[in-house]
């Protein structure tokens, strides 16, 4: 049954519109599309629209600057990021040099993520729908599936890495469980399976409640992570006698030092090459652009410099203690002599890894799958499918196979730079932020984003040469010197090519999606 649509006013167009969000939540996709079509005057297609892909209503958006900040408070302090930054210490960079590398990367990321975030605030749509603007209503599947494929593999891998920490915690609490960690079933011990499946279920339950539950979890986890990492740094500092090593015994100097600093900053941006693509998945629920700017400011440059300071203290402190360079904070956790503190530290790392996995590796494939099958999958069902794939690929075997990490995941990751270049050049340089949101959901050949059979060939043409270059840099040994800057080369070339070949005869119309929007909740 369907309730009558409610009337409203389109602030940008100044005309009376109908709200499709008044439809009963149990209505079929076809019924929702019928209501949305009547409300907007645009033929909304069931193959492009459902309640999860629809724009979010401006009223009731709940992601504040604190919500955005806690995203970064969790993600920046991930174990993978600590391993990367501590690796700079191992390469020969000292304390101030590491901070400079991270500072360069943070400044660039603040700009890129703010521009990307503004797109979500304005349109209220997730990344698969956002990419329809530049790639077309069908061509957008390329962008969303590439992003989703990278994420679903890393979801499984990160869950496995978290399960390793979980196993350490369980054995510390119950030493008898160590006997269950000696066999192998499909490459994982019995205790390993117990730990992995437990964390897998926990994440699936959180995501099944939608983006609002993810926001609440991130808000809870952020302060826990910051306090835990700061406490570990203080503990190492005390253990080192209040004096840390500011560099290793093979400190870099001169041109090599500066090259490594800039390479470190460039790689720091590349790490977030996935996030700059689909940041709109989160900011579509942000209360305002100001909230995005404030959240990004405190969460990126400020938080990243705090992260850098913790890295310097941890790496320099441990090197001062015994002359070794740790690989990640988990190495420090295992040396904690007090069982209670060890368990608490492990628990904090589990909270952290789940938070990072939810935002970086779960949301993207869920939206990609929903975009692929909007009639059959909603957010919850897509979450189950994504999580199941993350389990069936036996991610611990992927992680232990360097060829898979380098050639498969590395290859897919190299393609994300060109995607970003095309999307951003089209939105900001060609369209200057003008978007007809309702037409993102129409399959009509007359639609603004239908292009040729639903695909924008100019976007593909711009993307291919940049993608080829990115893959060459990633895999050809002779181009290894450029590897650190591969993302910038690929994104820049794709953006420049698209800027010059884009169709400038399009009629650009700015029309918001309030008429077909849904409430900001799942």
């Amino acid at each position: 049954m369907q309730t009558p649509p409610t009337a409203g006013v389109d602030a940008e167009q100044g005309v009376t519109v109908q709200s499709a969000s008044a439809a009963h939540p149990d209505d079929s996709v076809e019924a929702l599309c019928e209501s949305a079509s009547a409300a907007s005057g645009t033929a909304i297609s069931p193959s492009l629209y459902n309640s999860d892909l629809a724009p979010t209503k401006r009223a009731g958006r709940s992601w504040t600057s604190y919500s955005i900040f806690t995203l970064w408070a969790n993600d920046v302090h991930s174990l993978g990021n600590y391993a990367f930054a501590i690796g700079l210490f191992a390469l020969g960079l000292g304390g101030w040099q590491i901070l400079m590398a991270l500072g360069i990367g943070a400044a660039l990321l603040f700009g890129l993520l703010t521009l990307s975030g503004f797109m979500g605030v304005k349109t209220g749509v997730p990344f698969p729908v956002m990419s329809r603007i530049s790639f077309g209503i069908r061509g957008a599947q390329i962008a969303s599936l590439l992003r989703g494929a990278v994420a679903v593999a890393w979801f499984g891998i990160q869950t496995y890495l978290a399960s390793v920490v979980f196993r350490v915690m369980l054995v510390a609490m119950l030493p008898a469980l160590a006997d269950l960690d000696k066999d192998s079933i499909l490459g994982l011990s019995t205790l390993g399976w117990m730990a992995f499946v437990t964390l897998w279920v926990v994440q699936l339950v959180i995501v099944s409640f939608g983006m609002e539950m993810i926001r609440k979890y991130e808000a809870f986890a952020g302060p826990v992570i910051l306090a835990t990492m700061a406490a570990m740094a203080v503990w190492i500092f005390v253990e080192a006698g209040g004096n840390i090593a500011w560099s290793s015994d093979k400190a870099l100097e001169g041109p090599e030092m500066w090259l490594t600093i800039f390479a470190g900053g460039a790689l720091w941006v590349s790490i977030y090459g996935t996030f700059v693509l689909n940041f709109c998945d989160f900011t579509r629920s942000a209360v305002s652009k100001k909230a995005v700017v404030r959240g990004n400011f405190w969460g990126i440059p400020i938080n990243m410099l705090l992260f850098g300071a913790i890295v310097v203290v941890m790496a320099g402190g441990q090197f001062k203690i015994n002359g070794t360079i740790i690989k990640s904070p988990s190495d420090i956790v295992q040396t904690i002599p007090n069982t209670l503190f060890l368990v608490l530290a492990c628990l904090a790392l589990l909270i952290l890894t789940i938070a990072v996995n939810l935002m970086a590796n779960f949301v993207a494939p869920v939206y990609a799958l929903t975009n692929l099958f909007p009639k059959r999958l909603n957010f919850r069902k897509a979450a189950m499918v994504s999580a199941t794939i993350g389990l069936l690929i036996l991610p611990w075997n992927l992680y232990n196979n360097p060829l898979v990490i380098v050639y498969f995941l590395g290859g897919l990751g190299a393609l994300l730079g060109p995607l970003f270049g095309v999307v951003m050049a089209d939105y900001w340089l060609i369209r200057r932020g003008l978007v007809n949101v309702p037409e993102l959901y129409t399959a009509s050949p007359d639609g603004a984003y239908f292009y040729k059979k639903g695909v924008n060939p100019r976007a593909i043409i711009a993307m291919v040469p940049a993608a080829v270059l990115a893959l060459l840099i990633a895999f050809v040994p002779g181009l290894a010197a450029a590897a650190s800057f591969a993302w910038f080369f690929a994104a820049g070339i794709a953006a420049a090519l698209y800027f010059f070949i884009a169709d400038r005869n399009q009629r650009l119309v700015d029309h918001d999606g309030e008429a077909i929007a849904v409430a900001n909740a799942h």
Side-chain angles (χ1 to χ4, degrees):
M1 183 175 177
Q2 196 170 316
T3 57
T6 57
V9 175
D10 185 326
E12 295 189 28
Q13 300 297 317
V15 296
T16 301
V17 297
Q18 300 285 310
S19 173
S21 61
H24 191 279
D26 293 329
D27 282 345
S28 66
V29 172
E30 287 78 5
L32 285 172
C33 289
E34 182 180 346
S35 177
S37 298
S40 64
T42 301
I44 304 300
S45 171
S47 65
L48 299 170
Y49 179 94
N50 65 18
S51 59
D52 296 299
L53 297 175
T56 54
K57 295 180 68 175
R58 289 191 174 275
R61 292 184 181 181
S62 56
W63 286 65
T64 63
S65 55
Y66 177 75
S67 305
I68 303 296
F69 163 73
T70 54
L71 283 181
W72 307 125
N74 290 304
D75 192 72
V76 169
H77 293 267
S78 71
L79 296 181
N81 283 351
Y82 273 104
F84 164 77
I86 291 171
L88 296 178
F89 187 87
L91 287 175
L93 292 187
W96 71 267
Q97 296 150 351
I98 291 174
L99 291 176
M100 177 172 283
L102 297 179
I104 292 170
L108 293 170
L109 281 172
F110 175 74
L112 295 174
L113 284 162
T114 298
L115 288 174
S116 180
F118 281 177
M119 295 162 65
V121 175
K122 178 181 172 65
T123 62
V125 303
F127 173 67
V129 178
M130 184 74 70
S131 57
R132 294 173 188 173
I133 300 171
S134 50
F135 282 90
I137 57 171
R138 303 302 177 198
Q141 298 288 9
I142 298 172
S144 63
L145 289 176
L146 278 175
R147 173 66 182 97
V150 173
V152 74
W154 279 112
F155 162 75
I157 290 171
Q158 291 285 356
T159 301
Y160 162 67
L161 294 177
S163 72
V164 174
V165 177
F166 194 20
R167 284 152 61 187
V168 171
M169 186 181 80
L170 290 174
V171 171
M173 296 172 63
L174 300 169
L177 291 177
D179 293 336
L180 298 177
D181 207 20
K182 298 177 181 179
D183 58 348
S184 179
I185 304 172
L186 296 177
L188 202 61
S189 68
T190 300
L191 183 61
W193 273 101
M194 292 167 57
F196 182 90
V197 171
T198 299
L199 295 178
W200 183 86
V201 170
V202 168
Q203 292 174 96
L204 185 58
V205 169
I206 294 172
V207 171
S208 69
F209 287 96
M211 291 296 289
E212 182 62 12
M213 180 59 74
I214 292 176
R215 180 187 70 82
K216 292 178 179 178
Y217 182 85
E218 300 291 334
F220 152 73
V224 173
I225 300 313
L226 289 174
T228 301
M229 292 303 179
M232 289 176 62
V234 170
W235 181 68
I236 283 290
F237 185 73
V238 172
E239 289 291 303
N243 187 18
I244 66 172
W246 286 95
S247 64
S248 66
D249 51 7
K250 53 177 182 178
L252 298 178
E253 296 179 351
E256 187 180 5
M257 177 194 74
W258 287 107
L259 178 60
T260 306
I261 288 174
F262 284 106
L267 286 171
W268 193 230
V269 175
S270 300
I271 288 172
Y272 286 88
T274 53
F275 234 122
V276 293
L277 267 179
N278 73 303
F279 190 33
C280 58
D281 288 344
F282 303 91
T283 60
R284 66 190 294 240
S285 299
V287 296
S288 66
K289 289 183 177 180
K290 288 183 179 180
V292 173
V293 173
R294 286 194 296 265
N296 280 352
F297 174 74
W298 289 102
I300 300 176
I302 302 302
N303 180 45
M304 285 183 176
L305 288 177
L306 173 62
F307 162 83
I310 292 174
V311 166
V312 171
V313 171
M314 282 186 175
Q318 189 65 45
F319 191 79
K320 184 72 174 181
I321 292 171
N322 57 15
T324 61
I325 300 175
I326 59 172
K327 294 182 179 179
S328 82
S330 57
D331 293 342
I332 294 176
V333 168
Q334 296 182 39
T335 66
I336 297 176
N338 184 289
T339 301
L340 175 60
F341 289 145
L342 185 148
V343 169
L344 291 176
C346 285
L347 186 60
L349 293 184
L350 290 178
I351 292 172
L352 163 65
T353 305
I354 289 174
V356 172
N357 229 8
L358 291 176
M359 61 185 289
N361 301 319
F362 215 149
V363 172
V366 167
Y367 276 128
L369 288 168
T370 304
N371 186 56
L372 193 61
F373 305 107
K375 294 182 182 180
R376 298 181 179 275
L377 296 178
N378 57 20
F379 196 92
R380 180 172 293 184
K381 291 178 181 178
M384 175 61 76
V385 173
S386 177
T388 301
I389 295 173
L391 172 62
L392 293 178
I393 61 176
L394 304 179
W396 46 90
N397 291 330
L398 295 183
Y399 183 73
N400 292 325
N401 187 337
L403 292 178
V404 172
I405 296 294
V406 172
Y407 289 103
F408 176 65
L409 293 178
L412 288 178
L415 301 179
L416 299 182
L419 285 175
F420 179 77
V422 170
V423 169
M424 298 298 281
D426 182 62
Y427 185 92
W428 289 109
L429 301 179
I430 303 300
R431 301 179 183 279
R432 299 184 183 277
L434 303 179
V435 181
N436 189 335
V437 176
E439 296 218 355
L440 291 169
Y441 300 93
T442 181
S444 169
D446 297 325
Y449 310 105
F450 188 79
Y451 298 106
K452 291 185 178 180
K453 297 182 180 180
V455 179
N456 181 5
R458 297 172 192 255
I460 304 299
I461 291 171
M463 178 182 165
V464 169
V468 170
L469 176 64
L471 292 173
L472 288 175
I473 292 175
F475 300 131
V476 175
L479 299 176
S484 300
F485 306 95
W487 188 91
F488 289 93
F489 285 130
I493 290 173
L497 286 174
Y498 188 80
F499 180 77
F500 285 110
I501 68 174
D503 182 4
R504 286 174 167 75
N505 295 320
Q506 302 175 75
R507 188 174 69 89
L508 303 180
V509 176
D510 199 37
H511 198 306
D512 70 25
E514 284 294 300
I516 61 172
V518 298
N520 178 40
H522 286 285

